[in-house]
Amino acid sequence: MRTPSLFPFLALLCLASATLYGQAISGKGDRISGPNFATRSPILGKHGMVATSHPLATQIGLDVLKQGGTAVDAAIAANAALGVIEPNNGGIGGDLFAIVWSAKDKKLYGLNASGRSPKGLTYEGLQTVLGSRKQLPLYGPLSVSIPGTVDGWFELHKRFGKLPVRTLLAPSIRYAREGVPVPQVIAYSWQVAANRLATNQADITEFDNFRRTFLINGKAPTEGQVFQNPDLARTYEAIAKGGRDAFYTGTLADAMDRYARRAGLYLRKADLAVHQSTWIEPVSVNYRGYDVFELPPNGQGISVLQMLNILEGFDLKALGHNSAEYLHLLVEAKKLAFEDRARYYADPAFSKIPVPWLLSKEYATQRRALIDPKKASERLDSGEQALKSGDTVYLTVADNEGNMVSLIQSNMLEFGSGMVPDGLGFVFHNRGTSFTMQPGHANVYAPGKRPFSTIIPGFVTKNGQPFLSFGVMGGAMQPQGHLQVLCNLIDFAMNVQEAGDAARFSHSGSSEPIGTRMTDGGRLALESGIPKEVRTELQKRGHRLAETDFFGGYQAIQWDAVNRIYWGASEMRKDGQAAGY
């Protein structure tokens, strides 16, 4: 019998010893197949696939599929789990958007499950409360809009679900009660968010509930520490028993109303009672033979489509992946699209948004001509002719019947407003802070209005068949991430894992829907995989480089129509996992 080699064991032992004694360790191992920047191979599965930002949520979704649940069933179960095990980024105090491919109907459905501002707070009333402030605070009572996630679950389930909701919530109830170990990236983000909230307590009128619910002995949990949330377990049990009405008109709504009155929020039970999600048509552009779909505003998804239209006029492949010429074009296209995003993207029930014109090839030609290939722009305007014409969790699931769902859900910023209703175990999001107080602006605050939202699910079809369900988490990084992943896949023929692992840029400082304007070209952050000579050349073109930024978190499922299998991916920037069977 051959004796197993001791070398792998010794290597691990040396690694552990070096880590233990604090010695610096650098360098990345080599893969024996595929490009070395990729962290692993794609995951392959014939019957179903789940990709989320946490392995335990992925396993819950996979279990639901194996029990005979649909892709939507598994997505709801996984999203509920993330509210327990990744509560900094998502939970039932936030909003939800989804794109669903129905294999039976051979079409896409879009759901906007975002909430609206409280009807009892007028623009004038808000202005009085703000006093000398020009913008809404990031945290506290004024940042809270109606949570839309739970209604989104039930709308999705009513149309595409099969298993009972109580079955879908059962694993999350167990985890919330028994506790779950916190992984590395979530532990880090949790600590950063908790510290940020603590430094902004002046705006948070009630912070004790947050401390009791999300801190352990006064501190954020560390990697490997077990976190329990029995309050959320009871809240999920109430939803499992009473359905969406338990949240919007029943006992949970009563509890939220009582807390709002006690803590100074303007949300009321009457606001919850009238909330409803909206089924909407996804919109698309064709990019080099692929139909890329996003949801229309109040989200920012169409900025991805605008950027693709602009870039279609360039031979990106010939420029080379992540070359200075390539990155310059992508950043300049982003700046142009974000000017329109800042001016026009808002609740379509309150503003007439010229979506067909913004997505037209004619308009893209006009905007493309504004790019100087050798010089970074410092200040831009939105397209005037358009007026004449008219941190977050992402997951994706595919089932054995060919149904696919692209779902994104968020607290807005990590732990949202910082305000936790008494005994319910979740934090209210702070999406309301995305309004502007600028009179006449499309996104100006109004009671009963949906604020501009950054969370966007993505979907791609080819020849009328599903090709890719995907998303990238992270505020204004989301459309930039969508763009880079799509160029990686379509222009550079990367596989679904490589497309997410490749080094990214993140540009900040563009004009925003809250009324701020770009005046200096913003800042460009580059991941370490982008070479020094590229950075130098970008600086020569006038790009101001930032030391660091957030580069998102990506999950995706690709349908292979030739072999009739799913390819799953979850990138290294999160704790996530893709798994299939």
Side-chain angles (χ1 to χ4, degrees):
M1 175 182 287
R2 182 179 178 182
T3 303
S5 172
L6 291 176
F7 285 120
F9 171 76
L10 291 172
L12 288 172
L13 185 61
C14 291
L15 178 64
S17 299
T19 303
L20 179 65
Y21 290 103
Q23 296 180 14
I25 298 173
S26 62
K28 181 179 180 295
D30 295 328
R31 301 189 71 225
I32 64 170
S33 176
N36 208 45
F37 69 81
T39 58
R40 57 153 301 120
S41 311
I43 303 300
L44 307 181
K46 184 173 175 18
H47 298 289
M49 185 71 64
V50 183
T52 82
S53 53
H54 196 300
L56 298 183
T58 296
Q59 292 171 38
I60 286 171
L62 203 62
D63 287 343
V64 168
L65 292 181
K66 291 179 179 179
Q67 292 173 45
T70 66
V72 159
D73 285 333
I76 293 169
N79 188 207
L82 290 169
V84 177
I85 60 185
E86 194 177 345
N88 51 321
N89 287 324
I92 57 175
D95 286 339
L96 178 154
F97 291 82
I99 299 176
V100 180
W101 171 264
S102 168
K104 176 183 176 183
D105 301 330
K106 297 191 184 308
K107 66 170 290 187
L108 289 171
Y109 293 85
L111 182 70
N112 180 339
S114 64
R116 300 163 179 84
S117 56
K119 289 193 173 182
L121 181 61
T122 64
Y123 176 87
E124 294 74 20
L126 176 56
Q127 206 168 36
T128 299
V129 176
L130 287 174
S132 61
R133 288 190 176 193
K134 302 299 183 184
Q135 297 176 3
L136 280 80
L138 285 175
Y139 311 101
L142 296 179
S143 70
V144 177
S145 51
I146 310 308
T149 294
V150 173
D151 187 68
W153 287 352
F154 281 86
E155 283 293 315
L156 288 166
H157 187 264
K158 182 165 57 178
R159 179 168 281 188
F160 299 110
K162 184 186 294 183
L163 300 181
V165 171
R166 64 178 179 274
T167 300
L168 307 182
L169 296 185
S172 297
I173 293 169
R174 184 176 66 251
Y175 272 134
R177 183 160 286 123
E178 295 178 356
V180 62
V182 179
Q184 187 177 80
V185 174
I186 293 174
Y188 170 80
S189 300
W190 200 316
Q191 179 67 66
V192 171
N195 290 341
R196 187 179 64 243
L197 288 173
T199 60
N200 285 275
Q201 285 185 60
D203 286 328
I204 305 173
T205 54
E206 191 287 310
F207 198 53
D208 287 340
N209 283 356
F210 176 86
R211 293 192 188 97
R212 280 193 293 266
T213 305
F214 294 111
L215 303 183
I216 301 175
N217 297 323
K219 297 180 180 180
T222 57
E223 181 183 4
Q225 195 167 8
V226 174
F227 170 73
Q228 296 172 283
N229 192 344
D231 287 347
L232 186 58
R234 288 187 288 270
T235 296
Y236 277 5
E237 285 172 334
I239 295 170
K241 182 179 179 180
R244 59 90 60 201
D245 289 347
F247 192 88
Y248 292 98
T249 61
T251 57
L252 300 178
D254 290 333
M256 284 184 271
D257 186 280
R258 287 193 300 270
Y259 176 75
R261 294 175 190 273
R262 177 174 80 83
L265 281 75
Y266 291 86
L267 175 152
R268 295 292 181 266
K269 184 178 180 180
D271 295 312
L272 294 163
V274 298
H275 171 75
Q276 58 182 12
S277 302
T278 307
W279 288 99
I280 53 178
E281 287 290 328
V283 293
S284 69
V285 300
N286 186 275
Y287 180 72
R288 309 197 200 281
Y290 294 82
D291 293 307
V292 181
F293 287 85
E294 301 277 353
L295 296 181
N298 56 311
Q300 62 176 338
I302 65 170
S303 65
V304 180
L305 308 183
Q306 289 191 250
M307 289 186 281
L308 289 172
N309 271 348
I310 292 170
L311 292 168
E312 195 173 35
F314 299 98
D315 187 351
L316 300 182
K317 184 178 181 179
L319 297 178
H321 184 257
N322 279 353
S323 67
E325 295 79 9
Y326 171 78
L327 292 172
H328 174 77
L329 290 178
L330 267 64
V331 173
E332 293 304 300
K334 179 263 184 181
K335 292 178 185 177
L336 286 166
F338 269 47
E339 289 300 322
D340 290 333
R341 169 183 175 268
R343 184 168 185 178
Y344 300 118
Y345 295 14
D347 186 344
F350 286 75
S351 303
K352 188 173 183 180
I353 307 168
V355 173
W357 172 251
L358 292 173
L359 299 186
S360 68
K361 300 294 185 181
E362 179 185 356
Y363 182 57
T365 300
Q366 294 178 13
R367 301 297 275 171
R368 187 184 304 122
L370 299 177
I371 296 178
D372 184 334
K374 296 297 183 182
K375 189 175 187 300
S377 57
E378 292 192 350
R379 185 183 180 104
L380 294 164
D381 291 314
S382 57
E384 291 298 331
Q385 191 169 352
L387 286 175
K388 302 173 185 177
S389 303
D391 273 35
T392 303
V393 293
Y394 174 81
L395 61 92
T396 177
V397 182
D399 65 27
N400 194 39
E401 302 299 321
N403 303 299
M404 301 176 73
V405 56
S406 178
L407 185 151
I408 197 159
Q409 196 270 311
S410 176
N411 291 329
M412 170 54 170
L413 295 178
E414 287 183 311
F415 288 119
S417 65
M419 305 193 72
V420 177
D422 298 327
L424 299 190
F426 65 85
V427 66
F428 282 125
H429 65 164
N430 60 334
R431 186 61 64 182
T433 195
S434 298
F435 282 117
T436 181
M437 294 300 292
Q438 183 180 321
H441 192 286
N443 188 45
V444 66
Y445 176 84
K449 182 177 181 178
R450 282 171 161 153
F452 167 78
S453 181
T454 57
I455 57 176
I456 53 174
F459 206 95
V460 183
T461 65
K462 188 175 185 181
N463 300 323
Q465 294 296 317
F467 173 75
L468 185 75
S469 175
F470 78 110
V472 179
M473 299 161 263
M477 178 61 205
Q478 291 184 45
Q480 300 179 69
H482 279 216
L483 176 68
Q484 292 174 80
V485 163
L486 290 169
C487 289
N488 290 345
L489 282 164
I490 296 170
D491 290 291
F492 295 97
M494 294 184 191
N495 68 39
V496 70
Q497 182 68 40
E498 296 162 1
D501 282 341
R504 294 186 191 141
F505 74 83
S506 176
H507 180 269
S508 60
S510 286
S511 300
E512 290 290 340
I514 59 173
T516 56
R517 294 297 310 277
M518 182 181 75
T519 59
D520 64 354
R523 296 293 182 272
L524 178 62
L526 304 169
E527 288 192 306
S528 61
I530 295 174
K532 181 181 178 180
E533 58 269 23
V534 172
R535 297 166 185 267
T536 302
E537 178 59 32
L538 288 168
Q539 286 178 306
K540 288 180 180 178
R541 295 177 189 225
H543 295 280
R544 295 172 175 85
L545 299 190
E547 288 187 10
T548 187
D549 204 340
F550 179 70
F551 296 94
Y554 156 87
Q555 325 288 337
I557 298 174
Q558 183 179 343
W559 169 243
D560 180 347
V562 175
N563 296 302
R564 303 197 63 79
I565 62 169
Y566 295 115
W567 296 56
S570 179
E571 61 155 277
M572 80 293 194
R573 296 174 187 86
K574 291 281 187 176
D575 296 306
Q577 179 192 42
Y581 78 107

